[in-house]
Amino acid sequence: MEDGVTATQVVFWILAVVMLVSAIGVVTAGNIVYAALFFIAALAGVAGIYLILTVEFLALVQLLVYGSAVVILILFALMLTRARERPQALFGRSRPIGIAASLGLLAALIGGIVATTWTTPATSSAIQPVGLQTIGDAIFTIWIVPFIIVGVLLSIALDGAIMLASPDEDDN
Amino acid sequence: MPPLDHILIVNAVLFAIGVMGVLTRRNAVLILLSVELMLNAVSLNMVAFAVYGHVDFGNITGIVFAFFIIVIAAAEVALALGIVVRTFRNRATANVDEVNLLKW
C-alpha cells in the first residue's frame, strides 16, 4: 500500500484542509464569537489527525479538555469583556507587518522541512499503532515525577486564576 | 499513514497562522486563541515524530509531551483569562494596545 494515495491519506488531507481553513477563520473573523466557533472546528481537526496517527487517548483528551473546557472558558471571557460602547477595530495598526512576518516564518519552516532528509520507516505499514497501555506505562513509570509536578502546577494555577478574577472585598 | 513531511508541513502552516493571529489581533482573548493554535501545532508535531519513530527509537516521549502540553495549556488559559477579566474591570478594555499602564 506504499504506492499511490491511500484512504488514510485522503482523510488526512480533508482533516488538514478543514483544520487550516478554520484556523484562518480564527485569525481573520470579524466577529469574536465566530472566531471562537472556528477555534472549535480547528481543535476537532487536530483531534482527527491524532486519530489518524493512532493516538486515540490524545484525541479524547483533546476533545474533553480543549474542545469543551477551554472553549467554554474562552466564551465566558469573551462575553464578560465585550466592549459595549463602540464597535472596535479588531486588528492592530501593524497588521501588514504581522502578515509579512508570519509568511516569512512559514517560508523558513517549509524550506527547512523540505531540505531535511527524514529517516522514517520506508513503508507506512512498518508504523505500529501506539496503544493506550504503552502511554500509561510511560506516564506512570518514567514520567511519574513530572506528572505529579504538573498536577500541582495545575491546581496552583487554577487557585491563582480564581484569586485574580474574584472581586476585592474593599471594592464595593 | 501520510508521509511524515506532509504532516510537518501542515503543522508549519498551522503554526504560522497562529503567529499571524498573535501579531495582528488586538483583543487579548483572540491573541490567546492564536497562542492555543500554535501550541496545538507543536504538540501535533511531537506526536507525529513519536508515532513515526517509536519502533526505531523505542520510546513515545513525544506523546507524553503532547499530554503535558495540554495540561499546561489548560492552566495557562485559566490564568490568562483571569488576568483579562481583571484588566477589563480596572481599565474597561480587553485590547492589548490600550493597556499601557506600565508603559513608560
Side-chain angles (χ1 to χ4, degrees):
Chain A
M1 290 288 275
E2 59 264 29
D3 291 327
V5 180
T6 62
T8 320
Q9 285 182 355
V10 174
V11 176
F12 168 74
W13 279 108
I14 291 173
L15 282 171
V17 167
V18 168
M19 180 180 83
L20 294 179
V21 169
S22 316
I24 290 175
V26 172
V27 299
T28 58
N31 185 325
I32 50 179
V33 180
Y34 290 170
L37 294 179
F38 275 125
F39 182 64
I40 301 177
L43 292 181
V46 174
I49 293 180
Y50 281 151
L51 276 182
I52 285 185
L53 291 172
T54 71
V55 193
E56 307 95 339
F57 171 67
L58 271 185
L60 203 63
V61 171
Q62 172 91 2
L63 284 180
L64 282 177
V65 176
Y66 263 120
S68 48
V70 168
V71 166
I72 285 175
L73 261 182
I74 284 174
L75 280 175
F76 264 112
L78 282 177
M79 291 168 190
L80 283 175
T81 61
R82 185 75 68 86
R84 296 168 199 84
E85 61 275 24
R86 59 202 153 90
Q88 306 211 339
L90 283 167
F91 299 101
R93 284 187 305 275
S94 57
R95 191 180 185 200
I97 304 174
I99 294 175
S102 63
L103 288 181
L105 176 73
L106 177 65
L109 285 175
I110 289 185
I113 292 169
V114 171
T116 310
T117 311
W118 301 102
T119 58
T120 52
T123 59
S124 301
S125 51
I127 296 167
Q128 300 291 322
V130 181
L132 185 52
Q133 191 181 354
T134 320
I135 301 174
D137 280 347
I139 288 178
F140 288 108
T141 55
I142 309 170
W143 298 94
I144 183 64
V145 176
F147 181 77
I148 293 171
I149 290 174
V150 89
V152 174
L153 177 81
L154 184 60
S155 52
I156 292 174
L158 291 182
D159 282 351
I162 293 171
M163 225 188 73
L164 269 176
S166 60
D168 297 330
E169 280 85 4
D170 52 349
D171 263 358
N172 42 20
Chain B
M1 292 275 242
L4 177 62
D5 43 355
H6 290 185
I7 303 178
L8 295 188
I9 286 175
V10 167
N11 294 341
V13 176
L14 185 61
F15 189 84
I17 291 172
V19 171
M20 188 169 88
V22 170
L23 292 180
T24 57
R25 287 289 199 187
R26 289 174 78 212
N27 189 307
V29 182
L30 293 180
I31 289 178
L32 194 67
L33 279 186
S34 308
V35 172
E36 296 300 318
L37 285 183
M38 292 161 69
L39 281 173
N40 268 290
V42 171
S43 54
L44 206 47
N45 235 350
M46 288 191 184
V47 171
F49 280 125
V51 168
Y52 280 80
H54 86 277
V55 176
D56 288 345
F57 299 105
N59 67 50
I60 53 158
T61 308
I63 293 175
V64 180
F65 269 32
F67 174 68
F68 284 155
I69 286 175
I70 291 177
V71 179
I72 300 287
E76 171 226 327
V77 164
L79 267 182
L81 293 183
I83 292 174
V84 170
V85 169
R86 192 70 183 180
T87 309
F88 185 77
R89 193 179 299 143
N90 288 338
R91 308 279 294 173
T93 181
N95 291 335
V96 286
D97 51 353
E98 292 172 25
V99 185
N100 50 9
L101 200 60
L102 286 177
K103 197 172 174 184
W104 184 52

mmCIF file of all heavy atoms in Angstrom, chain B residues 19-64:
data_model
loop_
_atom_site.group_PDB
_atom_site.id
_atom_site.type_symbol
_atom_site.label_atom_id
_atom_site.label_comp_id
_atom_site.label_asym_id
_atom_site.label_seq_id
_atom_site.Cartn_x
_atom_site.Cartn_y
_atom_site.Cartn_z
ATOM 1 N N VAL B 19 0.890 32.448 14.537
ATOM 2 C CA VAL B 19 1.769 33.623 14.666
ATOM 3 C C VAL B 19 1.099 34.851 14.071
ATOM 4 O O VAL B 19 1.139 35.946 14.641
ATOM 5 C CB VAL B 19 3.121 33.346 13.979
ATOM 6 C CG1 VAL B 19 3.949 34.606 13.912
ATOM 7 C CG2 VAL B 19 3.876 32.282 14.719
ATOM 8 N N MET B 20 0.428 34.654 12.915
ATOM 9 C CA MET B 20 -0.258 35.777 12.286
ATOM 10 C C MET B 20 -1.340 36.325 13.207
ATOM 11 O O MET B 20 -1.493 37.533 13.354
ATOM 12 C CB MET B 20 -0.876 35.313 10.969
ATOM 13 C CG MET B 20 -1.454 36.422 10.137
ATOM 14 S SD MET B 20 -1.854 35.856 8.501
ATOM 15 C CE MET B 20 -3.510 35.278 8.734
ATOM 16 N N GLY B 21 -2.081 35.420 13.875
ATOM 17 C CA GLY B 21 -3.111 35.893 14.798
ATOM 18 C C GLY B 21 -2.521 36.675 15.956
ATOM 19 O O GLY B 21 -3.040 37.723 16.343
ATOM 20 N N VAL B 22 -1.413 36.180 16.517
ATOM 21 C CA VAL B 22 -0.796 36.879 17.653
ATOM 22 C C VAL B 22 -0.328 38.259 17.223
ATOM 23 O O VAL B 22 -0.462 39.234 17.968
ATOM 24 C CB VAL B 22 0.370 36.046 18.216
ATOM 25 C CG1 VAL B 22 1.155 36.842 19.220
ATOM 26 C CG2 VAL B 22 -0.151 34.787 18.860
ATOM 27 N N LEU B 23 0.213 38.372 16.006
ATOM 28 C CA LEU B 23 0.793 39.645 15.595
ATOM 29 C C LEU B 23 -0.248 40.628 15.087
ATOM 30 O O LEU B 23 0.026 41.823 15.046
ATOM 31 C CB LEU B 23 1.847 39.413 14.498
ATOM 32 C CG LEU B 23 3.100 38.674 14.954
ATOM 33 C CD1 LEU B 23 4.054 38.515 13.802
ATOM 34 C CD2 LEU B 23 3.778 39.411 16.079
ATOM 35 N N THR B 24 -1.450 40.162 14.669
ATOM 36 C CA THR B 24 -2.385 41.108 14.065
ATOM 37 C C THR B 24 -3.587 41.441 14.946
ATOM 38 O O THR B 24 -4.171 42.495 14.781
ATOM 39 C CB THR B 24 -2.920 40.573 12.726
ATOM 40 O OG1 THR B 24 -3.528 39.306 12.951
ATOM 41 C CG2 THR B 24 -1.798 40.402 11.733
ATOM 42 N N ARG B 25 -3.977 40.560 15.872
ATOM 43 C CA ARG B 25 -5.187 40.833 16.647
ATOM 44 C C ARG B 25 -4.929 41.869 17.736
ATOM 45 O O ARG B 25 -3.793 42.015 18.216
ATOM 46 C CB ARG B 25 -5.684 39.539 17.286
ATOM 47 C CG ARG B 25 -6.318 38.570 16.316
ATOM 48 C CD ARG B 25 -7.640 39.062 15.846
ATOM 49 N NE ARG B 25 -8.435 37.967 15.283
ATOM 50 C CZ ARG B 25 -9.589 38.170 14.676
ATOM 51 N NH1 ARG B 25 -10.070 39.372 14.564
ATOM 52 N NH2 ARG B 25 -10.270 37.151 14.184
ATOM 53 N N ARG B 26 -6.005 42.545 18.185
ATOM 54 C CA ARG B 26 -5.893 43.491 19.298
ATOM 55 C C ARG B 26 -6.489 42.920 20.573
ATOM 56 O O ARG B 26 -6.037 43.223 21.661
ATOM 57 C CB ARG B 26 -6.647 44.787 18.974
ATOM 58 C CG ARG B 26 -6.014 45.631 17.928
ATOM 59 C CD ARG B 26 -6.913 46.782 17.608
ATOM 60 N NE ARG B 26 -6.828 47.822 18.620
ATOM 61 C CZ ARG B 26 -7.844 48.608 18.960
ATOM 62 N NH1 ARG B 26 -9.006 48.441 18.379
ATOM 63 N NH2 ARG B 26 -7.698 49.540 19.867
ATOM 64 N N ASN B 27 -7.564 42.123 20.428
ATOM 65 C CA ASN B 27 -8.271 41.606 21.606
ATOM 66 C C ASN B 27 -7.426 40.547 22.299
ATOM 67 O O ASN B 27 -6.906 39.629 21.653
ATOM 68 C CB ASN B 27 -9.604 41.020 21.134
ATOM 69 C CG ASN B 27 -10.496 40.666 22.288
ATOM 70 O OD1 ASN B 27 -10.085 39.945 23.181
ATOM 71 N ND2 ASN B 27 -11.703 41.180 22.276
ATOM 72 N N ALA B 28 -7.274 40.667 23.619
ATOM 73 C CA ALA B 28 -6.390 39.749 24.348
ATOM 74 C C ALA B 28 -6.887 38.312 24.271
ATOM 75 O O ALA B 28 -6.084 37.380 24.168
ATOM 76 C CB ALA B 28 -6.278 40.199 25.796
ATOM 77 N N VAL B 29 -8.211 38.096 24.286
ATOM 78 C CA VAL B 29 -8.732 36.729 24.237
ATOM 79 C C VAL B 29 -8.447 36.097 22.877
ATOM 80 O O VAL B 29 -8.114 34.906 22.783
ATOM 81 C CB VAL B 29 -10.243 36.731 24.555
ATOM 82 C CG1 VAL B 29 -10.777 35.324 24.560
ATOM 83 C CG2 VAL B 29 -10.495 37.383 25.885
ATOM 84 N N LEU B 30 -8.546 36.907 21.809
ATOM 85 C CA LEU B 30 -8.262 36.346 20.484
ATOM 86 C C LEU B 30 -6.774 36.051 20.318
ATOM 87 O O LEU B 30 -6.395 35.077 19.657
ATOM 88 C CB LEU B 30 -8.747 37.309 19.398
ATOM 89 C CG LEU B 30 -10.265 37.441 19.352
ATOM 90 C CD1 LEU B 30 -10.687 38.393 18.271
ATOM 91 C CD2 LEU B 30 -10.907 36.093 19.120
ATOM 92 N N ILE B 31 -5.915 36.874 20.943
ATOM 93 C CA ILE B 31 -4.480 36.558 20.930
ATOM 94 C C ILE B 31 -4.241 35.230 21.639
ATOM 95 O O ILE B 31 -3.459 34.389 21.193
ATOM 96 C CB ILE B 31 -3.693 37.710 21.582
ATOM 97 C CG1 ILE B 31 -3.713 38.918 20.672
ATOM 98 C CG2 ILE B 31 -2.272 37.298 21.872
ATOM 99 C CD1 ILE B 31 -3.015 40.107 21.230
ATOM 100 N N LEU B 32 -4.972 35.013 22.738
ATOM 101 C CA LEU B 32 -4.842 33.744 23.471
ATOM 102 C C LEU B 32 -5.274 32.564 22.597
ATOM 103 O O LEU B 32 -4.622 31.512 22.590
ATOM 104 C CB LEU B 32 -5.695 33.824 24.728
ATOM 105 C CG LEU B 32 -5.419 32.755 25.760
ATOM 106 C CD1 LEU B 32 -4.047 32.961 26.319
ATOM 107 C CD2 LEU B 32 -6.443 32.833 26.852
ATOM 108 N N LEU B 33 -6.360 32.746 21.830
ATOM 109 C CA LEU B 33 -6.801 31.688 20.908
ATOM 110 C C LEU B 33 -5.697 31.361 19.903
ATOM 111 O O LEU B 33 -5.438 30.189 19.600
ATOM 112 C CB LEU B 33 -8.045 32.132 20.141
ATOM 113 C CG LEU B 33 -9.393 32.028 20.811
ATOM 114 C CD1 LEU B 33 -10.468 32.383 19.815
ATOM 115 C CD2 LEU B 33 -9.611 30.638 21.309
ATOM 116 N N SER B 34 -5.023 32.391 19.396
ATOM 117 C CA SER B 34 -3.961 32.142 18.422
ATOM 118 C C SER B 34 -2.789 31.418 19.064
ATOM 119 O O SER B 34 -2.164 30.546 18.435
ATOM 120 C CB SER B 34 -3.501 33.467 17.815
ATOM 121 O OG SER B 34 -4.606 34.171 17.329
ATOM 122 N N VAL B 35 -2.483 31.759 20.323
ATOM 123 C CA VAL B 35 -1.421 31.034 21.030
ATOM 124 C C VAL B 35 -1.796 29.570 21.173
ATOM 125 O O VAL B 35 -0.954 28.668 21.023
ATOM 126 C CB VAL B 35 -1.163 31.690 22.403
ATOM 127 C CG1 VAL B 35 -0.227 30.841 23.215
ATOM 128 C CG2 VAL B 35 -0.572 33.056 22.232
ATOM 129 N N GLU B 36 -3.088 29.298 21.425
ATOM 130 C CA GLU B 36 -3.526 27.901 21.527
ATOM 131 C C GLU B 36 -3.339 27.175 20.200
ATOM 132 O O GLU B 36 -2.978 25.988 20.184
ATOM 133 C CB GLU B 36 -4.998 27.841 21.935
ATOM 134 C CG GLU B 36 -5.278 28.400 23.304
ATOM 135 C CD GLU B 36 -4.522 27.664 24.376
ATOM 136 O OE1 GLU B 36 -4.461 26.436 24.298
ATOM 137 O OE2 GLU B 36 -3.963 28.323 25.251
ATOM 138 N N LEU B 37 -3.592 27.871 19.076
ATOM 139 C CA LEU B 37 -3.349 27.241 17.769
ATOM 140 C C LEU B 37 -1.884 26.856 17.625
ATOM 141 O O LEU B 37 -1.554 25.762 17.153
ATOM 142 C CB LEU B 37 -3.732 28.203 16.638
ATOM 143 C CG LEU B 37 -5.202 28.413 16.354
ATOM 144 C CD1 LEU B 37 -5.360 29.338 15.170
ATOM 145 C CD2 LEU B 37 -5.874 27.098 16.061
ATOM 146 N N MET B 38 -0.973 27.757 18.070
ATOM 147 C CA MET B 38 0.450 27.448 17.956
ATOM 148 C C MET B 38 0.808 26.249 18.837
ATOM 149 O O MET B 38 1.559 25.359 18.416
ATOM 150 C CB MET B 38 1.277 28.670 18.364
ATOM 151 C CG MET B 38 1.171 29.817 17.404
ATOM 152 S SD MET B 38 1.674 31.369 18.126
ATOM 153 C CE MET B 38 3.400 31.099 18.320
ATOM 154 N N LEU B 39 0.253 26.202 20.051
ATOM 155 C CA LEU B 39 0.525 25.069 20.942
ATOM 156 C C LEU B 39 0.049 23.761 20.323
ATOM 157 O O LEU B 39 0.729 22.729 20.400
ATOM 158 C CB LEU B 39 -0.171 25.269 22.284
ATOM 159 C CG LEU B 39 0.480 26.207 23.273
ATOM 160 C CD1 LEU B 39 -0.432 26.401 24.455
ATOM 161 C CD2 LEU B 39 1.774 25.626 23.742
ATOM 162 N N ASN B 40 -1.140 23.799 19.686
ATOM 163 C CA ASN B 40 -1.659 22.595 19.047
ATOM 164 C C ASN B 40 -0.760 22.135 17.917
ATOM 165 O O ASN B 40 -0.541 20.936 17.749
ATOM 166 C CB ASN B 40 -3.060 22.870 18.516
ATOM 167 C CG ASN B 40 -4.103 22.518 19.525
ATOM 168 O OD1 ASN B 40 -4.312 21.366 19.807
ATOM 169 N ND2 ASN B 40 -4.731 23.518 20.096
ATOM 170 N N ALA B 41 -0.237 23.100 17.135
ATOM 171 C CA ALA B 41 0.659 22.723 16.041
ATOM 172 C C ALA B 41 1.891 22.025 16.585
ATOM 173 O O ALA B 41 2.326 20.986 16.066
ATOM 174 C CB ALA B 41 1.053 23.970 15.241
ATOM 175 N N VAL B 42 2.450 22.561 17.677
ATOM 176 C CA VAL B 42 3.672 21.972 18.223
ATOM 177 C C VAL B 42 3.406 20.584 18.777
ATOM 178 O O VAL B 42 4.177 19.637 18.535
ATOM 179 C CB VAL B 42 4.254 22.908 19.298
ATOM 180 C CG1 VAL B 42 5.386 22.224 20.013
ATOM 181 C CG2 VAL B 42 4.736 24.179 18.679
ATOM 182 N N SER B 43 2.284 20.407 19.498
ATOM 183 C CA SER B 43 2.076 19.085 20.086
ATOM 184 C C SER B 43 1.726 18.062 19.010
ATOM 185 O O SER B 43 2.111 16.893 19.124
ATOM 186 C CB SER B 43 1.014 19.137 21.180
ATOM 187 O OG SER B 43 -0.152 19.685 20.712
ATOM 188 N N LEU B 44 1.051 18.508 17.935
ATOM 189 C CA LEU B 44 0.796 17.595 16.816
ATOM 190 C C LEU B 44 2.115 17.153 16.181
ATOM 191 O O LEU B 44 2.299 15.975 15.835
ATOM 192 C CB LEU B 44 -0.077 18.316 15.793
ATOM 193 C CG LEU B 44 -0.976 17.519 14.869
ATOM 194 C CD1 LEU B 44 -1.747 16.494 15.643
ATOM 195 C CD2 LEU B 44 -1.921 18.463 14.182
ATOM 196 N N ASN B 45 3.057 18.109 16.073
ATOM 197 C CA ASN B 45 4.379 17.780 15.557
ATOM 198 C C ASN B 45 5.060 16.724 16.408
ATOM 199 O O ASN B 45 5.623 15.749 15.897
ATOM 200 C CB ASN B 45 5.224 19.052 15.575
ATOM 201 C CG ASN B 45 5.791 19.363 14.228
ATOM 202 O OD1 ASN B 45 5.701 18.548 13.335
ATOM 203 N ND2 ASN B 45 6.347 20.527 14.089
ATOM 204 N N MET B 46 5.021 16.910 17.740
ATOM 205 C CA MET B 46 5.687 15.962 18.636
ATOM 206 C C MET B 46 5.055 14.590 18.528
ATOM 207 O O MET B 46 5.760 13.569 18.518
ATOM 208 C CB MET B 46 5.600 16.462 20.072
ATOM 209 C CG MET B 46 6.475 17.633 20.336
ATOM 210 S SD MET B 46 6.527 17.932 22.079
ATOM 211 C CE MET B 46 7.499 19.396 22.109
ATOM 212 N N VAL B 47 3.703 14.534 18.428
ATOM 213 C CA VAL B 47 3.031 13.244 18.302
ATOM 214 C C VAL B 47 3.438 12.575 16.993
ATOM 215 O O VAL B 47 3.684 11.355 16.955
ATOM 216 C CB VAL B 47 1.501 13.432 18.394
ATOM 217 C CG1 VAL B 47 0.790 12.147 18.055
ATOM 218 C CG2 VAL B 47 1.128 13.880 19.773
ATOM 219 N N ALA B 48 3.553 13.366 15.915
ATOM 220 C CA ALA B 48 3.944 12.772 14.638
ATOM 221 C C ALA B 48 5.335 12.150 14.733
ATOM 222 O O ALA B 48 5.555 11.012 14.318
ATOM 223 C CB ALA B 48 3.909 13.834 13.542
ATOM 224 N N PHE B 49 6.277 12.896 15.332
ATOM 225 C CA PHE B 49 7.629 12.339 15.481
ATOM 226 C C PHE B 49 7.609 11.069 16.332
ATOM 227 O O PHE B 49 8.279 10.088 16.015
ATOM 228 C CB PHE B 49 8.560 13.365 16.112
ATOM 229 C CG PHE B 49 9.074 14.383 15.145
ATOM 230 C CD1 PHE B 49 8.915 15.732 15.390
ATOM 231 C CD2 PHE B 49 9.713 13.983 13.994
ATOM 232 C CE1 PHE B 49 9.389 16.666 14.496
ATOM 233 C CE2 PHE B 49 10.191 14.924 13.093
ATOM 234 C CZ PHE B 49 10.023 16.268 13.352
ATOM 235 N N ALA B 50 6.836 11.083 17.429
ATOM 236 C CA ALA B 50 6.807 9.923 18.315
ATOM 237 C C ALA B 50 6.224 8.710 17.606
ATOM 238 O O ALA B 50 6.760 7.602 17.697
ATOM 239 C CB ALA B 50 6.001 10.251 19.569
ATOM 240 N N VAL B 51 5.113 8.913 16.860
ATOM 241 C CA VAL B 51 4.466 7.772 16.214
ATOM 242 C C VAL B 51 5.350 7.207 15.103
ATOM 243 O O VAL B 51 5.465 5.988 14.951
ATOM 244 C CB VAL B 51 3.088 8.204 15.668
ATOM 245 C CG1 VAL B 51 2.529 7.143 14.746
ATOM 246 C CG2 VAL B 51 2.145 8.446 16.811
ATOM 247 N N TYR B 52 6.025 8.088 14.341
ATOM 248 C CA TYR B 52 6.857 7.586 13.248
ATOM 249 C C TYR B 52 8.181 7.031 13.738
ATOM 250 O O TYR B 52 8.855 6.321 13.012
ATOM 251 C CB TYR B 52 7.096 8.697 12.217
ATOM 252 C CG TYR B 52 5.938 8.870 11.288
ATOM 253 C CD1 TYR B 52 4.817 9.577 11.684
ATOM 254 C CD2 TYR B 52 5.942 8.299 10.031
ATOM 255 C CE1 TYR B 52 3.738 9.723 10.843
ATOM 256 C CE2 TYR B 52 4.868 8.435 9.181
ATOM 257 C CZ TYR B 52 3.770 9.150 9.598
ATOM 258 O OH TYR B 52 2.707 9.274 8.777
ATOM 259 N N GLY B 53 8.596 7.380 14.977
ATOM 260 C CA GLY B 53 9.907 6.944 15.410
ATOM 261 C C GLY B 53 9.923 5.928 16.522
ATOM 262 O O GLY B 53 10.980 5.456 16.888
ATOM 263 N N HIS B 54 8.740 5.565 17.096
ATOM 264 C CA HIS B 54 8.822 4.789 18.329
ATOM 265 C C HIS B 54 9.224 3.346 18.073
ATOM 266 O O HIS B 54 9.689 2.680 18.996
ATOM 267 C CB HIS B 54 7.516 4.876 19.119
ATOM 268 C CG HIS B 54 6.476 3.881 18.724
ATOM 269 N ND1 HIS B 54 5.633 4.096 17.663
ATOM 270 C CD2 HIS B 54 6.141 2.683 19.229
ATOM 271 C CE1 HIS B 54 4.819 3.072 17.547
ATOM 272 N NE2 HIS B 54 5.094 2.190 18.463
ATOM 273 N N VAL B 55 9.092 2.847 16.819
ATOM 274 C CA VAL B 55 9.591 1.496 16.552
ATOM 275 C C VAL B 55 11.121 1.503 16.533
ATOM 276 O O VAL B 55 11.775 0.640 17.118
ATOM 277 C CB VAL B 55 9.017 0.997 15.215
ATOM 278 C CG1 VAL B 55 9.595 -0.356 14.881
ATOM 279 C CG2 VAL B 55 7.514 0.902 15.299
ATOM 280 N N ASP B 56 11.681 2.547 15.889
ATOM 281 C CA ASP B 56 13.139 2.603 15.782
ATOM 282 C C ASP B 56 13.797 3.016 17.088
ATOM 283 O O ASP B 56 14.860 2.510 17.436
ATOM 284 C CB ASP B 56 13.532 3.602 14.690
ATOM 285 C CG ASP B 56 13.212 3.052 13.314
ATOM 286 O OD1 ASP B 56 12.971 1.843 13.233
ATOM 287 O OD2 ASP B 56 13.184 3.828 12.357
ATOM 288 N N PHE B 57 13.194 3.950 17.812
ATOM 289 C CA PHE B 57 13.866 4.518 18.971
ATOM 290 C C PHE B 57 13.339 3.971 20.296
ATOM 291 O O PHE B 57 13.927 4.213 21.333
ATOM 292 C CB PHE B 57 13.742 6.043 18.958
ATOM 293 C CG PHE B 57 14.366 6.661 17.756
ATOM 294 C CD1 PHE B 57 13.581 7.141 16.731
ATOM 295 C CD2 PHE B 57 15.739 6.725 17.626
ATOM 296 C CE1 PHE B 57 14.157 7.684 15.600
ATOM 297 C CE2 PHE B 57 16.322 7.270 16.498
ATOM 298 C CZ PHE B 57 15.531 7.749 15.479
ATOM 299 N N GLY B 58 12.215 3.268 20.261
ATOM 300 C CA GLY B 58 11.765 2.556 21.444
ATOM 301 C C GLY B 58 11.190 3.412 22.553
ATOM 302 O O GLY B 58 11.121 2.973 23.683
ATOM 303 N N ASN B 59 10.788 4.641 22.265
ATOM 304 C CA ASN B 59 10.077 5.399 23.296
ATOM 305 C C ASN B 59 9.018 6.281 22.660
ATOM 306 O O ASN B 59 9.024 6.526 21.457
ATOM 307 C CB ASN B 59 11.028 6.208 24.179
ATOM 308 C CG ASN B 59 11.700 7.311 23.431
ATOM 309 O OD1 ASN B 59 11.047 8.091 22.751
ATOM 310 N ND2 ASN B 59 13.010 7.383 23.529
ATOM 311 N N ILE B 60 8.078 6.769 23.492
ATOM 312 C CA ILE B 60 6.963 7.573 22.992
ATOM 313 C C ILE B 60 6.946 8.908 23.720
ATOM 314 O O ILE B 60 5.891 9.444 24.051
ATOM 315 C CB ILE B 60 5.632 6.835 23.174
ATOM 316 C CG1 ILE B 60 5.462 6.393 24.626
ATOM 317 C CG2 ILE B 60 5.515 5.650 22.267
ATOM 318 C CD1 ILE B 60 4.032 6.166 24.973
ATOM 319 N N THR B 61 8.152 9.463 23.983
ATOM 320 C CA THR B 61 8.244 10.707 24.743
ATOM 321 C C THR B 61 7.425 11.838 24.114
ATOM 322 O O THR B 61 6.856 12.661 24.834
ATOM 323 C CB THR B 61 9.715 11.113 24.857
ATOM 324 O OG1 THR B 61 10.441 9.997 25.354
ATOM 325 C CG2 THR B 61 9.902 12.280 25.779
ATOM 326 N N GLY B 62 7.359 11.873 22.789
ATOM 327 C CA GLY B 62 6.604 12.939 22.135
ATOM 328 C C GLY B 62 5.146 12.946 22.532
ATOM 329 O O GLY B 62 4.551 14.007 22.751
ATOM 330 N N ILE B 63 4.549 11.743 22.661
ATOM 331 C CA ILE B 63 3.138 11.671 23.047
ATOM 332 C C ILE B 63 2.960 12.158 24.478
ATOM 333 O O ILE B 63 2.015 12.896 24.783
ATOM 334 C CB ILE B 63 2.632 10.228 22.862
ATOM 335 C CG1 ILE B 63 2.634 9.887 21.384
ATOM 336 C CG2 ILE B 63 1.242 10.075 23.423
ATOM 337 C CD1 ILE B 63 2.267 8.478 21.095
ATOM 338 N N VAL B 64 3.898 11.771 25.372
ATOM 339 C CA VAL B 64 3.799 12.227 26.766
ATOM 340 C C VAL B 64 3.931 13.747 26.825
ATOM 341 O O VAL B 64 3.215 14.416 27.578
ATOM 342 C CB VAL B 64 4.875 11.531 27.618
ATOM 343 C CG1 VAL B 64 4.788 11.973 29.046
ATOM 344 C CG2 VAL B 64 4.727 10.041 27.524
#
